[in-house]
Amino acid sequence: LNKTIFMRAVLTLTKGKTMKKLLLTTAMATSLLASAAFAEVKIAGGLEATMADKESTTTGLSAGNAIGFEYEMDVTASGTLSNGMTISTHAEFYSDASESQSNAPNDLGMTIGLTPTVSFIIGRDQWEIMDNGVTPKAYNIIQDAASNSTASMGNTAFAANANNMGIAVKAAGGTVGFIYAPDTGATPSTNGDKATGNTAGTGSAYELGYVGSLGMEGLTVLAGVSSKKAVTDSTGDTDGTAYGVAYKTGKFAVGVSVDDVDAPGSTTSDIKATSYGATYAVTDAMTVGLQRMVVDINSAASDETTDAFEVAYNLGAATLALNYQTTENFGGSATAKDADAYTITLKQSW
């Protein structure tokens, strides 16, 4: 009898401890869920379908029609830290022929608002100056739309496309920012959350610049510098500058952007791309635009020139765009054949 009473007492105490553990675990889980609930989460994205064709710059023959797709999905979350500072996080997944395809997001990072005007940033493409252009466009900037051009938006000396950190300050109607990438070979696809050193020898890089209105309505100004360290001092650094100005008044907008790369030594990597543009809003739904890009390639016989005409129409739930372009002196070669290209694009964003 005494043994029976003793065993019942032990079981009662054990159940009591188990119940307390369950209650404690449940309370902790509820607390974590309550904390997570303070973060506002948003999901956005879009799908773009394109029919395109272009002529070869060597033969002048058509490459043939093709249908292409580009998608994006951006997940963002924002909240307030216990000390009153703000934090926002985003992870953007998208397909692009210029980006490596993987399960990792292409652009991602965190922004911590230290004050209402000063933020600490860490990520990839969180803040960038060398990958921007202020040239007006009806739908696409000419660097992205030109099928036969040597130049592409994005200075080879810049740090934004690698894992980086820096400071962004709101000032003069815009943002002044500085970012530093200790290893330009580190991307979301190549570097995870384990200790990883710069084993590839890709060098570091920084970007410093401003983009904004300078406090003037309708004005957009961009100015920035960048530098990428070489693997060895004997090779030399790659330096870059980017600058531009645009102005919009009523239905008209005009502007110019310059992206200049100075690579070590005398190489064809020294490229200066200057893009000019003008747009006109025919109606609230339709915009037309003209762009020209002149590419100066070091040691090339001629400047490469691309002219583009665009029409963009807002269909409400989607956008329809037509782009026609022609390129002369591809790659700086005076013997290259003049080549035409076109794209018809339908995009829905959500």
Side-chain angles (χ1 to χ4, degrees), residues 3-345:
K3 287 183 179 180
T4 302
I5 295 174
F6 175 76
M7 290 301 295
R8 286 179 178 175
V10 169
L11 288 172
T12 301
L13 289 172
T14 303
K15 289 180 180 179
K17 289 181 179 180
T18 303
M19 183 60 69
K20 287 181 179 179
K21 287 182 179 180
L22 288 172
L23 290 173
L24 179 61
T25 304
T26 303
M28 290 177 63
T30 304
S31 176
L32 290 172
L33 288 172
S35 300
F38 285 106
E40 181 182 3
V41 179
K42 296 180 179 179
I43 299 177
L47 177 64
E48 184 179 82
T50 300
M51 170 71 80
D53 188 16
K54 69 175 183 178
E55 291 179 334
S56 168
T57 56
T58 56
T59 66
L61 299 177
S62 171
N65 294 331
I67 296 176
F69 294 99
E70 184 172 315
Y71 66 84
E72 60 181 290
M73 184 177 71
D74 195 6
V75 182
T76 61
S78 59
T80 304
L81 302 177
S82 58
N83 59 6
M85 296 180 181
T86 60
I87 183 170
S88 61
T89 302
H90 89 101
E92 182 180 357
F93 302 80
Y94 64 91
S95 66
D96 192 303
S98 63
E99 298 286 346
S100 59
Q101 306 302 306
S102 68
N103 293 327
N106 303 76
D107 299 341
L108 79 172
M110 297 181 181
T111 300
I112 299 177
L114 306 178
T115 71
T117 58
V118 181
S119 298
F120 171 75
I121 50 182
I122 181 168
R124 180 183 189 269
D125 283 343
Q126 283 291 92
W127 181 88
E128 54 193 2
I129 194 72
M130 311 309 289
D131 198 19
N132 273 302
V134 297
T135 304
K137 62 186 185 301
Y139 183 75
N140 250 337
I141 59 173
I142 193 169
Q143 288 90 338
D144 284 349
S147 301
N148 284 317
S149 176
T150 302
S152 61
M153 180 57 69
N155 199 298
T156 57
F158 72 170
N161 261 7
N163 298 345
N164 63 75
M165 58 184 176
I167 293 290
V169 181
K170 295 179 181 178
T175 301
V176 177
F178 172 82
I179 57 174
Y180 171 73
D183 176 8
T184 53
T187 68
S189 301
T190 61
N191 285 53
D193 61 350
K194 302 294 187 292
T196 304
N198 184 1
T199 58
T202 50
S204 61
Y206 72 82
E207 287 184 46
L208 172 65
Y210 166 84
V211 60
S213 66
L214 295 177
M216 298 177 59
E217 185 178 357
L219 181 68
T220 305
V221 174
L222 177 147
V225 295
S226 65
S227 183
K228 177 182 176 181
K229 292 192 67 66
V231 178
T232 61
D233 292 337
S234 61
T235 305
D237 299 344
T238 300
D239 299 319
T241 57
Y243 50 93
V245 61
Y247 185 72
K248 181 179 181 180
T249 176
K251 296 183 177 183
F252 290 94
V254 294
V256 57
S257 298
V258 178
D259 190 10
D260 194 357
V261 179
D262 184 12
S266 178
T267 71
T268 55
S269 296
D270 292 352
I271 296 179
K272 181 179 180 181
T274 305
S275 61
Y276 310 86
T279 61
Y280 175 70
V282 181
T283 66
D284 291 341
M286 186 173 75
T287 300
V288 296
L290 292 172
Q291 294 186 72
R292 162 168 282 200
M293 180 167 61
V294 180
V295 183
D296 181 5
I297 305 171
N298 186 45
S299 301
S302 307
D303 288 345
E304 176 189 284
T305 303
T306 300
D307 293 309
F309 170 73
E310 250 185 346
V311 179
Y313 194 83
N314 185 348
L315 299 173
T319 299
L320 179 66
L322 169 65
N323 178 288
Y324 172 79
Q325 40 186 281
T326 182
T327 299
E328 298 178 353
N329 304 325
F330 174 74
S333 172
T335 60
K337 294 186 179 297
D338 296 348
D340 297 337
Y342 78 86
T343 57
I344 302 173
T345 302

